[in-house]
Amino acid sequence: MGILKQGAAAAAIGLVAASSTPSAWAEFPEKPVTLVVPFSAGGPSDKIARDLAEALRKPLAQTVIVDNTAGAGGTIGAARVARAAPDGYTLLVHHIGISTAPALYKKLPYKTLEDFEYLGLINEAPSTLIGKPGLAAHHFADLRQWISANEGKVNIANAGVGSASHLCGLVLQASLQSKMTFVPYKGTAPAMTDLMGGQVDLMCEQATNAMPQIEARKVKLYGVTSKQRMTLPALAQAPTLAEVGLAGFEMTVWHGVYAPKGTPAPVLAKLNAAIRVALKDPELIQREEALGVRVVTDARLEPAEHEKYVESEMRRWAKIIKDSGETAD
Ligand code: ASP
């Protein structure tokens, strides 16, 4: 950051600090609130953020806008929010990637545990392992054979280094002990288009986005990443990856909401309260459940517990990532 920019940021923080008495923020929010999604429009993170934005409108009595700042596995959008004015008007809706980027990126432009205020973990969703429509493999056992017979040549799409689809691909590769070629996109929405068109072979994708394509038979389903089989009709027949031989394979994609560090406490309290109201909205719950997403109702809705959870995920993934040997600039 240049000296001028640093000065401007310090001045912005100073302004916020100077007016951070509860009464100064009594009217918050007085203008639309923006939820930054660090992946492209039309994907699972985008969908979740749009549902949340809709449900937040009532408790915040304000317009809530979703803005996609995609690229580099979610790190560009996260960096944007880390550097935004800490006034509660620019928030980040990010997934598991916020906890994995520190172990992957050599030059991460923010610090996960230092540059954000935690506003609550909002949901958890399993992923699916899906393939392009023309794949000859009908079941996971055939797929496994095909991957090992084509070591290094099978293309698996993802939403960039550190994205949920990338992590799932890393674990899959380690479990199969067969290398694959990772193909990064700015989100799994464009990756899904290419998978359906046969330009890439495989992808791990949250049920949120995969289900409509599975139901329409536009992609092949090989398994789910949850511990137990899913009960949703489109997924009920799919085995868990652990069941078909990948012992211990389990992956849940969780999402949380973040504000820039230094956002005044009264604003954070209002936002957390509004998120809690939004997550009790029966329409939101129904929409999420229909797509296999479980809305969080436990202690992780509490900022301190959310932060502790992210910390524990950082430790868990740091080991998996170190063993994979994967890094990014
Ligand atoms: N599902 C994506 C991921 O793999 C991100 C997205 O586009 O929502 O991380």
Side-chain angles (χ1 to χ4, degrees):
M1 203 192 271
I3 290 174
L4 268 178
K5 269 200 184 156
Q6 271 179 11
I13 292 168
L15 264 179
V16 171
S19 54
S20 62
T21 55
S23 57
W25 294 95
E27 301 304 318
F28 174 86
E30 293 175 288
K31 59 179 186 177
V33 171
T34 298
L35 301 183
V36 173
V37 173
F39 296 101
S40 36
S45 306
D46 180 63
K47 168 137 206 7
I48 277 159
R50 282 177 203 275
D51 285 350
L52 180 68
E54 181 71 37
L56 277 174
R57 272 177 202 138
K58 231 196 237 165
L60 286 178
Q62 253 306 344
T63 305
V64 182
I65 297 162
V66 170
D67 194 359
N68 303 79
T69 302
T75 59
I76 297 177
R80 172 183 162 193
V81 177
R83 286 193 295 261
D87 56 10
Y89 289 103
T90 310
L91 308 176
L92 174 70
V93 178
H94 200 353
H95 66 16
I96 190 167
I98 197 158
S99 70
T100 60
L104 281 161
Y105 285 84
K106 288 186 213 136
K107 289 177 243 139
L108 193 64
Y110 56 87
K111 290 197 169 70
T112 293
L113 295 174
E114 289 168 32
D115 292 348
F116 297 103
E117 303 286 356
Y118 287 66
L119 283 167
L121 199 82
I122 56 169
N123 62 37
E124 296 176 304
S127 271
T128 58
L129 175 62
I130 49 180
K132 65 181 180 186
L135 272 187
H138 290 305
H139 304 290
F140 184 78
D142 314 332
L143 184 73
R144 185 177 198 159
Q145 267 183 6
W146 178 70
I147 294 173
S148 79
N150 291 284
E151 173 96 35
K153 288 189 214 136
V154 173
N155 293 320
I156 181 161
N158 65 45
V161 174
S163 63
S165 40
H166 176 242
L167 301 167
C168 180
L170 282 180
V171 180
L172 186 65
Q173 196 173 247
S175 315
L176 293 175
Q177 298 190 316
S178 293
K179 287 266 175 221
M180 290 182 271
T181 299
F182 290 147
V183 185
Y185 291 80
K186 285 190 171 178
T188 38
M192 181 67 87
T193 308
D194 274 9
L195 184 72
M196 292 189 296
Q199 281 87 18
V200 283
D201 302 313
L202 294 174
M203 176 160 74
C204 283
E205 176 62 317
Q206 282 119 282
T208 330
N209 197 33
M211 248 171 41
Q213 321 305 343
I214 293 168
E215 275 169 337
R217 296 180 184 277
K218 289 185 178 163
V219 293
K220 286 191 164 181
L221 172 63
Y222 293 103
V224 290
T225 68
S226 43
K227 199 169 189 172
Q228 259 106 38
R229 284 191 181 208
M230 304 275 301
T231 50
L232 294 164
L235 305 177
Q237 295 309 313
T240 66
L241 292 181
E243 208 181 303
V244 287
L246 305 187
F249 197 115
E250 193 196 342
M251 185 174 169
T252 303
V253 184
W254 45 265
H255 284 82
V257 187
Y258 307 82
K261 192 76 184 176
T263 304
V267 172
L268 296 173
K270 269 198 179 179
L271 288 167
N272 180 260
I275 290 168
R276 286 167 186 273
V277 172
L279 296 185
K280 286 201 181 114
D281 181 333
E283 269 179 41
L284 174 113
I285 296 173
Q286 203 187 22
R287 270 204 305 273
E288 305 301 292
E289 281 179 356
L291 291 168
V293 179
R294 201 184 68 77
V295 171
V296 166
T297 52
D298 57 52
R300 292 170 302 171
L301 260 173
E302 202 64 65
E305 290 302 315
H306 175 195
E307 187 167 359
K308 264 195 222 155
Y309 183 69
V310 171
E311 241 180 307
S312 69
E313 284 286 274
M314 280 171 80
R315 279 194 297 274
R316 179 165 84 93
W317 283 99
K319 163 134 189 34
I320 299 170
I321 290 164
K322 195 163 172 244
D323 292 347
S324 76
E326 190 85 357
T327 54
D329 288 328

